[in-house]
Each structure stands twice: as structure tokens, then as C-alpha cells.
Amino acid sequence: MPTIRIESYTVRVARNSAGPFARISITGPVLAHGIQNTATLFLFPAYTELGGWVTNVGGANADGIEVLAQVPFSDFDRLYDLLRNEAPLWLYYSYGQGATTAKPLTIFAIESGDEPAGEGPQDADAVEQTFRSIIAVSTADLTT
């Protein structure tokens, strides 16, 4: 499956009279030949399934691949959580057959790199434990 290493992203969250929507724009690194691959995820409540296109497949080398995905809005929280909290990240995608350089998007995924076991948010009582340690040190008897 082709990939784009996620170098940076931009998030737009909005609402119109029909409801909420969001756009996540992803850019890959500038490659050795100057090409930069991108992806744009459009998230609307009306989208119930994945749709979209992968453009410039087999096209001119001066242009990068662009993944344009229509994603259900219910996926936003999970996608944004990964983008904010994990590194490194890759966008994986796959596409179907087509007569032009624009192919129908069939799969997209955002995946993290290898992570050590047990990595994650700090323990729920970590802040309380830190304050107890500070109080214990600051109230130590230094006269002996």
C-alpha cells in the first residue's frame, strides 16, 4: 500500500446551517526530487462511507500524489487524536482502477510508528503523587 509520511497537518473545524464539518490537510516531506505528496480529508455528517480520489497516479513527476478523501464526521475525534498525540505517523492509501491519473480511493489509514509497550497517558494520580513528593521534601526536618 502506498504511504505518505505525515510531516505536518492543518485542521479546520466549522459549522454551517446544515451542521458541523471539518477538513484535515496533511503534507508529506519534500522529497529529494522536490515533489511533496498531500492528502485532504473532508469530514461531513452526510458522509456515511469512505469516498474520494487519488490524483496524479502515474502522472507527471513534477506533481505529487494528492489523496482527497470524504470521511464520516464520526471519525474526526479518532483521527485528530492520532495526529495530536503520536509521532511518527504515516497515511496509507489504496486505490482502484481508472482510465485516467485520478483513481477512486478504496482505503486510507493513519498509522503510528513502532511504540514501546506501556507508553501512554500518565497515571491518573501522577499529579497528586508529585504534589505529595514536593510537600514531603519541603517539610523535611533539616535540623538534624
Side-chain angles (χ1 to χ4, degrees):
M1 207 179 308
T3 64
I4 298 172
R5 182 181 170 120
I6 299 175
E7 186 84 8
S8 65
Y9 69 93
T10 303
V11 174
R12 180 180 191 182
V13 178
R15 172 177 278 283
N16 63 19
S17 60
F21 63 93
R23 180 191 69 217
I24 300 174
S25 301
I26 292 171
T27 56
V30 177
L31 303 174
H33 39 58
I35 294 174
Q36 190 170 33
N37 298 321
T38 63
T40 304
L41 313 177
F42 299 97
L43 298 102
F44 286 91
Y47 298 152
T48 58
E49 296 180 8
L50 175 66
W53 299 91
V54 180
T55 66
N56 201 39
V57 176
N61 286 337
D63 298 324
I65 293 290
E66 183 175 21
V67 177
L68 301 167
Q70 299 169 327
V71 182
F73 190 78
S74 59
D75 289 351
F76 177 79
D77 290 340
R78 295 180 311 136
L79 294 169
Y80 190 45
D81 185 58
L82 273 172
L83 290 168
R84 287 185 310 155
N85 295 307
E86 298 295 333
L89 290 172
W90 286 266
L91 183 133
Y92 289 79
Y93 61 94
S94 185
Y95 49 85
Q97 299 296 317
T100 67
T101 59
K103 311 290 185 195
L105 179 67
T106 56
I107 295 173
F108 96 92
I110 294 179
E111 184 174 310
S112 71
D114 290 338
E115 301 280 340
E119 181 186 61
Q122 297 217 0
D123 295 333
D125 65 347
V127 173
E128 185 178 332
Q129 295 278 359
T130 301
F131 279 118
R132 284 184 189 159
S133 298
I134 292 169
I135 290 168
V137 168
S138 65
T139 58
D141 184 7
L142 301 176
T143 59
T144 57

